[in-house]
Amino acid sequence: RTLGIAMLEGYLKEYRRKEPLKAVLVEGEMKRRVPNPLGEPSSIAVVTRVDTVVRDTSLNKLFILEHKTFTRWEPSQLERDHQFVAELWVAQQHFKERIAGVIYNGLRKQIPSNRVKNPLFERRYLYINENQIKVFLQRCYSVGLQLLAGYKGHLGIYPEPSLFRCQQCPFKDPCTAFM
């Protein structure tokens, strides 16, 4: 409780009245069917909960604002996290204007003090392009088919980006490039 209160008070002190962000949608649960590459109807869908869709008034662009807490900051993890692409793709169906990307809004799990050397907050703008969406949809459809088929004797390998797993994986660089 003490940690949570300190984190949020520090966040308000850091960002209150400085932000060019205007909320457009808050805590929206959304669903969207993944297109079948053959053009046939698809039974595979992505369901996601978007923290907030905001307009950055200084850029005049829509973004998804994704709140996260972290203990250790690893910027390369943002490039492998397909949650951001999924949220953007699903949310895009509700807006006539293109959503430019995701604003990663990270709060370090640490109580502010004079001994703290690392930043307590990380804010990164992640621009999502059409190729990232295309790769995500191909992966999503393929994994969905395998899950619906009930594995049929073998267990598929699915990307599960996480700080711990990715640090240990010899394929993290090719995976990041692919994503």
Side-chain angles (χ1 to χ4, degrees):
R1 178 182 172 153
T2 302
L3 174 61
I5 291 170
M7 288 171 60
L8 291 174
E9 285 176 348
Y11 179 81
L12 287 174
K13 185 177 178 182
E14 177 76 14
Y15 290 112
R16 182 178 274 168
R17 295 189 181 93
K18 294 181 189 176
E19 301 204 281
L21 306 177
K22 180 181 178 190
V24 176
L25 173 78
V26 177
E27 280 291 321
E29 185 171 296
M30 299 174 214
K31 177 180 179 178
R32 187 173 182 184
R33 293 216 179 271
V34 178
N36 179 326
L38 302 175
E40 299 169 2
S42 171
S43 60
I44 299 167
V46 174
V47 179
T48 185
R49 179 178 299 277
V50 174
D51 287 348
T52 313
V53 176
V54 297
R55 176 171 302 283
D56 183 315
T57 56
S58 65
L59 299 172
N60 196 28
K61 292 183 180 188
L62 290 178
F63 288 88
I64 292 174
L65 179 63
E66 182 65 29
H67 303 289
K68 298 284 188 188
T69 60
F70 65 92
T71 304
R72 189 169 144 234
W73 171 245
E74 180 61 48
S76 66
Q77 187 60 28
L78 299 179
E79 297 170 354
R80 289 186 293 269
D81 195 333
H82 47 242
Q83 174 189 351
F84 302 136
V85 180
E87 288 180 351
L88 183 135
W89 178 73
V90 173
Q92 184 60 66
Q93 71 183 327
H94 296 286
F95 296 92
K96 292 181 181 179
E97 179 182 346
R98 185 178 176 279
I99 301 175
V102 175
I103 302 170
Y104 172 88
N105 195 46
L107 288 79
R108 184 179 299 277
K109 294 179 186 173
Q110 193 165 14
I111 295 176
S113 76
N114 293 337
R115 295 180 6 199
V116 174
K117 302 294 182 223
N118 294 321
L120 294 174
F121 309 102
E122 288 288 342
R123 177 160 294 169
R124 303 288 172 108
Y125 280 66
L126 310 168
Y127 289 87
I128 308 294
N129 64 43
E130 291 302 316
N131 191 60
Q132 288 170 289
I133 293 170
K134 180 181 169 187
V135 167
F136 164 74
L137 291 174
Q138 288 171 343
R139 273 189 166 176
C140 189
Y141 192 78
S142 173
V143 169
L145 285 179
Q146 290 178 42
L147 290 171
L148 289 173
Y151 301 114
K152 298 206 173 158
H154 82 285
L155 183 60
I157 298 173
Y158 310 113
E160 295 182 56
S162 78
L163 182 57
F164 176 74
R165 281 190 289 272
C166 290
Q167 289 294 28
Q168 309 303 320
C169 181
F171 300 104
K172 75 177 178 186
D173 291 334
C175 185
T176 299
F178 183 70
M179 292 296 284

